C-alpha cells in the first residue's frame, strides 16, 4: 500500500484538528491554491489517501486499547497511561481522553476541509466525477470519525466548516445529542455509498465499506431493519469472505487488505513514528522484541476474565493470545535463533532473556508481527500491520444480531448461517453449530472474535446502562499473584451512573468552549 504516503498539500488549506484554538494549523502562503491544484484524479486521491494513516495515530497509539479493551474488561494494565480505565476513574485531564478528542476532530476536520474544497473546485472543471469520488471518500472518513466521537464521548459538537470557524475565532460550539451525531455520520456514509466505486485499489474504501459501516451504526441505534438490510447487501455482493488464516491476518503484513477487509487503517513501518503501527511495542513480551527493537513492554495484557471466556475448542484463543508454550518458528532474535517460545516459568532476573511472567501469564498476539526479518518490516516500534476497523466477520454477526432484533431468541436460517460461518473458521465443526441464537450468545461471539480490536466496549455500551453494569460488575479485572495461578489479586469495577458509559470531554476543551459544559441540544 503506497497510496497513503503521497505528500500532497491540502488546498484551502487550513487543517482544523479541533474546536480548540491551539489545535488550528495555519496554512502556508506558499501552498497551492484552489485554482492551480486538484486538476486530476491523482491529485485528489493523493489528498484523500492521507485520511487512512497518521491522523488516526493519536487514537490508535494507546487510546484504542484503553477505551475499547481496558474499559470493556478484555485487558488489564498497571500502566498509568491506561489504568484509570480499569476502574472507571477517568478524568477530563487524562492523556488518552485528550488524544482521542484531538484525533477524531483532526480526522473529521481534515475530511471536511477536503469535502468543502472539492465542492468549490467542481465549478472550475468540465468533468467533476473525480472530485465526487474524493468527496465520497472524505465523507466516509468523516462519518466514521463522528461515529467514534458519538460512541466515545456521547454528545459532541458537529463542525461542518472548520475553516470558517478558525477564521472567526468564535469557538463556542454546542454539544449535540448523540443520536443526532450518529444520524449525521450515517448521512455521510449514505453519500459515500451512493458515490464510491464498487471496486477500488486494495485498501481504498468502496460503496460496500460504506454499507458495512452503516450497518454497524444502525445496529448501535437499534435500527435492526436497516442494519440487517445493509449487512445483507454486503453479504449478497459476494465480494467478501472470511480469511482462512485468522492468526496470520493479525501477525503477518502480507495478509493486509485481504478479502475480509472492508476498512482498515494503512501503516508503513519505514515511515516511523505516527506512520507505522505502534501496537506491538506495547503489547508484546520483552523476550521477543527487546533485543532487536528495545520494546516489548507488556504494558497492557489479556485479562483473566477474557482468558476464561473462550470455549474449550475455540482456536481463536491460541490465535489471539500468547500463553505458555506458544511457538513461532519464524520469529528469530539473538536469544531465540531457532524460533520464539513463550515461557512463563520466570523465577529470577537470570531468566529475563528467555522467560516472562506477566500478571495474567499471557500477552496479546494480535498486531504482533515479531522482531522483523523474513520479509517482515519492523522499524523500532513501528510495523506495516494494518489496523482493522471493519471486517466481514463483523458484517456476518451484525446480520445475525439484526435478524434477532428485540426477540429473546431466533432460529432464522439465514442468521444461523451467518453466525456459524464465523464459528467454523474458529475451529468448530458443523456438529457444534448453534441452532438457536440469543443476545448473550451473540455478544459472547463478538467478544472472542474481535478481542483486542478496540470494539468490545462499544458492544457493552450499546446494551444500555443496566445491562452494561451487570456485565462489568461480574468481571474479574485483577491478576494472578506472583506465587501462581491458584491465587488472584482481585480487582473489581462497577458502573455508578450512565456517565460511566462515555469518557469525559477534555477539561481544556470545556475551559476554551463553555458550551461543552452545558446540556446537549438537537442538531436536526
Amino acid at each position: 500500500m503506497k497510496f497513503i504516503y503521497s505528500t500532497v498539500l491540502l488546498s484551502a488549506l487550513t487543517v482544523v484538528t479541533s474546536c480548540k484554538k491551539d489545535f488550528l494549523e495555519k496554512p502556508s502562503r506558499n501552498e497551492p491554491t484552489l485554482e492551480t491544484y486538484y486538476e486530476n484524479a491523482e491529485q485528489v486521491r493523493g489528498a484523500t489517501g492521507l485520511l487512512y494513516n497518521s491522523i488516526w495515530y493519536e487514537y490508535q497509539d494507546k487510546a484504542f486499547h484503553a477505551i475499547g479493551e481496558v474499559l470493556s474488561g478484555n485487558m488489564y494494565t498497571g500502566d498509568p497511561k491506561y489504568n484509570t480505565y480499569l476502574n472507571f476513574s477517568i478524568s477530563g485531564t487524562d492523556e488518552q481522553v485528550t488524544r482521542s478528542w484531538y484525533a477524531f476532530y483532526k480526522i473529521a476536520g481534515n475530511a471536511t476541509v477536503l469535502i468543502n474544497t472539492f465542492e468549490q473546485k467542481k465549478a472550475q472543471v468540465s468533468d467533476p466525477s473525480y472530485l465526487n469520488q474524493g468527496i465520497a471518500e472524505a465523507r466516509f472518513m468523516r462519518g466514521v470519525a463522528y461515529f467514534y466521537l458519538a460512541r466515545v464521548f456521547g454528545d459532541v459538537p458537529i463542525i461542518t466548516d472548520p475553516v470558517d470557524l478558525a477564521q472567526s475565532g468564535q469557538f463556542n460550539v454546542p454539544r449535540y445529542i448523540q443520536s443526532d451525531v450518529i444520524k449525521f455520520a450515517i448521512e455521510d456514509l449514505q453519500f459515500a455509498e451512493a458515490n464510491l466505486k464498487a471496486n477500488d485499489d486494495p485498501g481504498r474504501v468502496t460503496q460496500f465499506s460504506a454499507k458495512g459501516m452503516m450497518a454497524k451504526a444502525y445496529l448501535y441505534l437499534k435500527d435492526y431493519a436497516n442494519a440487517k438490510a445493509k449487512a445483507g447487501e454486503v453479504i449478497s455482493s459476494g465480494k467478501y469472505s472470511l480469511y482462512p488464516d485468522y492468526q496470520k491476518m493479525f501477525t503477518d503484513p502480507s495478509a493486509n487488505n485481504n478479502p475480509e477487509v472492508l476498512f482498515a487503517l494503512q501503516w508503513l513501518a519505514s515511515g516511523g513514528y505516527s506512520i507505522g503501527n505502534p501496537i506491538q511495542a506495547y503489547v508484546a513480551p520483552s523476550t521477543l522484541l527487546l533485543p532487536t527493537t528495545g520494546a516489548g513492554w507488556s504494558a497492557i495484557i489479556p485479562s483473566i476474565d477474557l482468558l476464561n471466556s473462550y470455549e474449550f475448542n475455540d482456536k481463536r484463543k491460541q490465535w489471539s493470545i500468547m500463553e505458555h508454550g506458544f511457538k513461532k518458528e519464524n520469529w528469530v532474535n539473538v536469544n531465540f535463533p531457532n524460533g520464539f517460545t513463550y515461557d512463563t516459568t520466570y523465577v529470577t532476573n537470570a531468566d529475563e532473556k528467555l522467560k516472562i511472567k506477566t500478571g495474567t501469564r499471557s500477552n496479546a498476539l494480535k498486531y504482533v508481527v515479531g522482531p522483523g526479518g523474513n520479509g517482515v518490516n519492523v522499524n523500532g516500534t513501528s510495523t506495516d500491520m494494518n489496523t482493522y476497523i471493519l471486517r466481514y466477520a463483523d458484517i456476518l454477526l451484525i446480520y445475525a444480531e439484526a435478524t434477532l432484533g428485540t426477540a429473546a431468541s431466533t432460529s432464522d436460517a439465514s442468521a444461523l448461517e451467518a453466525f456459524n460461518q464465523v464459528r467454523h473458521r474458529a475451529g468448530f465443526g458443523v456438529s457444534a453449530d448453534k441452532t438457536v441464537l440469543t443476545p448473550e450468545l451473540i455478544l459472547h461471539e463478538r467478544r472472542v472474535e474481535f478481542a483486542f480490536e478496540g470494539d468490545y466496549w462499544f458492544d457493552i455500551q450499546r446494551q444500555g446502562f443496566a445491562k452494561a453494569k451487570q456485565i462489568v460488575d461480574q468481571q474479574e479485572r485483577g491478576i494472578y499473584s506472583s506465587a501462581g495461578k491458584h491465587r488472584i489479586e482481585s480487582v473489581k469495577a462497577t458502573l455508578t451512573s450512565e456517565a460511566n458509559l462515555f469518557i469525559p470531554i477534555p477539561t481544556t476543551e470545556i475551559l476554551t468552549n463553555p458550551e461543552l459544559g452545558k446540556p446537549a441540544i438537537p442538531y436536526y
Side-chain angles (χ1 to χ4, degrees):
M1 286 306 304
K2 300 297 181 186
F3 72 82
I4 57 173
Y5 311 112
S6 304
T7 54
V8 177
L9 297 173
L10 303 183
S11 84
L13 276 149
T14 304
V15 178
V16 178
T17 58
S18 169
C19 299
K20 186 180 177 185
K21 189 174 181 180
D22 291 349
F23 288 163
L24 302 180
E25 299 175 11
K26 303 300 182 184
S28 165
R29 294 182 181 274
N30 297 321
E31 287 179 348
T33 66
L34 190 63
E35 288 71 27
T36 62
Y37 210 68
Y38 298 130
E39 298 288 339
N40 54 56
E42 182 180 3
Q43 291 174 344
V44 168
R45 285 170 75 79
T48 58
L50 299 173
L51 299 174
Y52 291 79
N53 182 253
S54 60
I55 57 175
W56 288 86
Y57 190 84
E58 294 297 325
Y59 175 68
Q60 155 89 38
D61 185 36
K62 296 180 184 69
F64 174 79
H65 280 114
I67 297 167
E69 302 300 327
V70 179
L71 272 182
S72 74
N74 271 357
M75 301 189 89
Y76 169 86
T77 182
D79 191 314
K81 292 184 176 66
Y82 309 89
N83 65 4
T84 57
Y85 295 78
L86 198 63
N87 59 5
F88 298 89
S89 60
I90 311 158
S91 75
T93 60
D94 182 272
E95 179 185 359
Q96 305 318 316
V97 168
T98 303
R99 294 182 77 183
S100 297
W101 182 272
Y102 174 88
F104 296 135
Y105 275 110
K106 185 174 185 179
I107 298 158
N110 273 267
T112 303
V113 167
L114 289 176
I115 292 163
N116 294 345
T117 300
F118 296 160
E119 287 287 0
Q120 295 175 50
K121 185 67 179 181
K122 284 168 64 174
Q124 302 176 14
V125 300
S126 58
D127 180 7
S129 58
Y130 72 94
L131 290 163
N132 286 332
Q133 166 73 19
I135 293 167
E137 204 167 1
R139 288 193 68 172
F140 174 93
M141 291 295 183
R142 185 173 71 176
V144 174
Y146 274 105
F147 186 39
Y148 268 101
L149 278 164
R151 292 181 297 167
V152 172
F153 294 99
D155 307 323
V156 296
I158 296 172
I159 310 297
T160 56
D161 195 337
V163 173
D164 183 64
L165 181 68
Q167 292 174 343
S168 72
Q170 301 298 318
F171 303 107
N172 292 335
V173 182
R175 290 189 300 149
Y176 296 107
I177 57 175
Q178 187 207 39
S179 59
D180 277 5
V181 178
I182 298 177
K183 181 180 178 182
F184 179 83
I186 289 173
E187 288 177 351
D188 270 348
L189 294 170
Q190 288 171 332
F191 183 92
E193 176 192 31
N195 292 277
L196 287 172
K197 300 175 183 177
N199 300 289
D200 208 325
D201 295 336
R204 290 274 180 179
V205 295
T206 69
Q207 63 180 242
F208 293 98
S209 307
K211 290 177 189 290
M213 285 305 305
M214 287 165 64
K216 197 171 181 73
Y218 282 130
L219 187 73
Y220 188 93
L221 292 175
K222 295 181 170 56
D223 183 347
Y224 298 116
N226 276 319
K228 180 178 179 179
K230 290 303 170 186
E233 289 173 26
V234 176
I235 293 169
S236 63
S237 73
K239 293 180 178 293
Y240 300 93
S241 59
L242 296 176
Y243 191 65
D245 193 332
Y246 185 95
Q247 184 186 102
K248 181 179 179 180
M249 182 164 58
F250 294 96
T251 59
D252 188 339
S254 70
N256 283 347
N257 301 315
N258 64 72
E260 185 166 344
V261 181
L262 280 82
F263 174 39
L265 305 182
Q266 310 287 318
W267 304 104
L268 187 68
S270 61
Y273 181 81
S274 87
I275 303 296
N277 188 330
I279 291 178
Q280 81 161 8
Y282 304 108
V283 305
S286 58
T287 48
L288 175 66
L289 296 183
L290 188 61
T292 55
T293 71
W297 300 314
S298 303
I300 185 166
I301 57 178
S303 69
I304 293 173
D305 200 78
L306 175 67
L307 291 169
N308 291 339
S309 71
Y310 288 89
E311 295 170 71
F312 177 71
N313 293 320
D314 193 336
K315 293 184 179 180
R316 284 170 296 196
K317 185 176 185 182
Q318 68 192 58
W319 295 337
S320 302
I321 297 168
M322 298 183 215
E323 292 188 281
H324 183 74
F326 168 84
K327 297 179 183 295
K328 197 80 167 170
E329 292 182 358
N330 62 345
W331 287 357
V332 175
N333 65 30
V334 65
N335 297 320
F336 293 95
N338 298 312
F340 176 73
T341 298
Y342 189 79
D343 188 333
T344 63
T345 61
Y346 179 102
V347 178
T348 69
N349 289 344
D351 296 325
E352 64 184 9
K353 291 183 178 180
L354 300 176
K355 301 176 181 181
I356 189 167
K357 185 183 285 185
T358 70
T360 64
R361 312 300 189 264
S362 64
N363 280 77
L365 177 57
K366 282 184 178 178
Y367 297 117
V368 177
V369 304
N374 297 315
V376 176
N377 298 319
V378 175
N379 178 20
T381 60
S382 300
T383 79
D384 290 336
M385 197 71 234
N386 283 356
T387 302
Y388 301 109
I389 304 298
L390 186 64
R391 299 194 277 117
Y392 185 59
D394 204 349
I395 300 301
L396 292 170
L397 294 180
I398 288 171
Y399 183 85
E401 185 174 346
T403 302
L404 173 67
T406 58
S409 64
T410 183
S411 296
D412 180 270
S414 61
L416 290 168
E417 165 63 21
F419 185 85
N420 286 318
Q421 273 191 58
V422 177
R423 287 175 60 80
H424 291 165
R425 181 178 56 180
F428 295 102
V430 174
S431 62
D433 278 0
K434 301 299 182 182
T435 57
V436 178
L437 299 180
T438 65
E440 292 74 22
L441 196 63
I442 293 173
L443 185 61
H444 170 267
E445 194 67 23
R446 292 189 62 84
R447 182 182 195 183
V448 294
E449 174 66 25
F450 305 115
F452 316 138
E453 296 180 53
D455 209 50
Y456 187 50
W457 171 245
F458 303 129
D459 281 333
I460 292 176
Q461 179 193 81
R462 65 185 175 85
Q463 306 303 311
F465 175 72
K467 181 64 174 178
K469 177 177 172 58
Q470 180 185 16
I471 293 169
V472 170
D473 286 2
Q474 292 175 350
Q475 292 176 337
E476 175 52 70
R477 294 182 167 226
I479 56 176
Y480 296 117
S481 76
S482 58
K485 285 188 175 182
H486 62 279
R487 180 181 172 188
I488 294 176
E489 296 175 6
S490 183
V491 174
K492 293 288 187 176
T494 188
L495 303 184
T496 57
S497 73
E498 292 198 14
N500 293 142
L501 296 177
F502 306 99
I503 68 174
I505 290 174
T507 302
T508 53
E509 296 292 330
I510 296 175
L511 292 173
T512 302
N513 175 14
E515 292 294 314
L516 297 178
K518 298 178 181 179
I521 63 175
Y523 181 77
Y524 293 95

